[in-house]
Amino acid sequence: MNENMEKGIGWLQKLLHLQQKYGFLSICKGLFVLLISGYVLFFTLNPRYLLDKVEAVQASKHDDAVSRRIDADADIRLMLNRLLHILDADRVWLIELHNGSKNLASGLPFLYGDMRIEETAEGIANVDEEYTNFSLSKYPFIAKVFEDGYFWGSIDSIQKTDERLFFKFKSNDVNEMALLALYAGEKPLGVLGISFCGSKRMNPVAVGKNIRKCGIQIASLLTDNNHP
């Protein structure tokens, strides 16, 4: 014990001597440089260590995002199913926007839509696979929906604006629909849609009230999912 105490006192005396000779700030700078040099030497000799750490963090973030996406999709599906029955609609669906690729010269992105979730009434066929990874630039009516923020009424009213989409809806036996643009701040997220097929007609008051409420909830879920 005495030997250890003597060694400790010896180191303390040396530190005091260095402090008197070079100053406390200079000693701190030297220790800091020594610490940085040690880190640089360690990562130079063990480059895989840092890569493994980065990959582990990325994998953890990915797993967390997947988990939150699964939870969000389950909640959204329940909301759409509830909306379907409240309004006695034939289809309730969500189209999300994504960036497929970009213009090589300008770097401007090409925007695509994907009908990720669709709930249908009994006896009504699903059409979600017909609206997978489609280019928004082909359908000017969708741009108008984002400009206005919403649409509801007969699909006959969109024929002049977007004949391609009009016939697409016709092929799905849609006669009336309601659409609500979803945003995260000023950034577009997607479109919440309600379709009425055959001779069925919507109740505009009920549709307007419920689609807004559901749209706010879905936009919140999608925003939380994209921003942990």
Side-chain angles (χ1 to χ4, degrees):
M1 183 180 294
N2 291 334
E3 185 179 351
N4 290 335
M5 289 183 64
E6 290 176 359
K7 288 182 179 179
I9 293 172
W11 278 106
L12 181 60
Q13 290 176 338
K14 290 179 181 179
L15 287 173
L16 290 174
H17 178 70
L18 289 173
Q19 191 272 335
Q20 292 173 354
K21 184 175 181 181
Y22 299 104
F24 179 74
L25 186 60
S26 296
I27 294 175
C28 289
K29 288 180 180 179
L31 291 174
F32 179 74
V33 171
L34 183 63
L35 179 65
I36 296 299
S37 299
Y39 272 111
V40 171
L41 181 62
F42 174 80
F43 289 124
T44 301
L45 297 176
N46 303 274
R48 190 64 208 176
Y49 178 83
L50 185 59
L51 292 175
D52 289 341
K53 289 294 183 182
V54 171
E55 290 175 358
V57 171
Q58 291 176 339
S60 177
K61 288 183 177 180
H62 174 73
D63 292 343
D64 180 61
V66 169
S67 178
R68 287 184 292 110
R69 176 84 247 191
I70 291 173
D71 291 341
D73 282 357
D75 290 340
I76 291 171
R77 190 171 293 281
L78 286 174
M79 292 178 189
L80 298 190
N81 188 269
R82 189 181 304 121
L83 193 61
L84 179 78
H85 290 93
I86 289 175
L87 299 175
D88 190 29
D90 290 307
R91 295 188 185 95
V92 179
W93 39 269
L94 172 67
I95 287 178
E96 289 188 57
L97 306 187
H98 65 91
N99 177 9
S101 55
K102 61 184 179 180
N103 183 287
L104 294 178
S106 65
L108 292 175
F110 299 142
L111 293 181
Y112 290 83
D114 212 331
M115 187 180 289
R116 299 198 61 262
I117 304 176
E118 178 193 33
E119 290 293 305
T120 61
E122 186 177 353
I124 300 297
N126 290 86
V127 298
D128 51 346
E129 291 186 358
E130 300 178 25
Y131 297 88
T132 300
N133 203 34
F134 62 92
S135 173
L136 267 63
S137 61
K138 295 181 179 180
Y139 302 101
F141 174 70
I142 297 180
K144 180 171 173 52
V145 170
F146 279 107
E147 181 180 342
D148 297 338
Y150 67 93
F151 167 87
W152 45 75
S154 170
I155 65 167
D156 292 336
S157 62
I158 75 172
Q159 186 171 9
K160 290 184 178 180
T161 305
D162 194 335
E163 193 169 56
R164 181 200 293 262
L165 195 56
F166 165 76
F167 284 116
K168 185 67 176 171
F169 288 150
K170 274 291 188 182
S171 70
N172 299 144
D173 195 31
V174 177
N175 70 80
E176 288 188 347
M177 65 173 14
L179 306 175
L180 182 70
L182 306 180
Y183 294 88
E186 296 184 355
K187 297 179 180 180
L189 283 174
V191 176
L192 172 61
I194 305 171
S195 302
F196 297 84
C197 301
S199 59
K200 190 178 288 186
R201 295 290 182 268
M202 74 171 72
N203 180 332
V205 176
V207 167
K209 175 184 176 182
N210 287 281
I211 196 174
R212 288 189 183 96
K213 180 180 178 181
C214 188
I216 292 172
Q217 293 172 333
I218 291 175
S220 177
L221 282 172
L222 294 178
T223 303
D224 289 343
N225 185 63
N226 292 328
H227 301 280

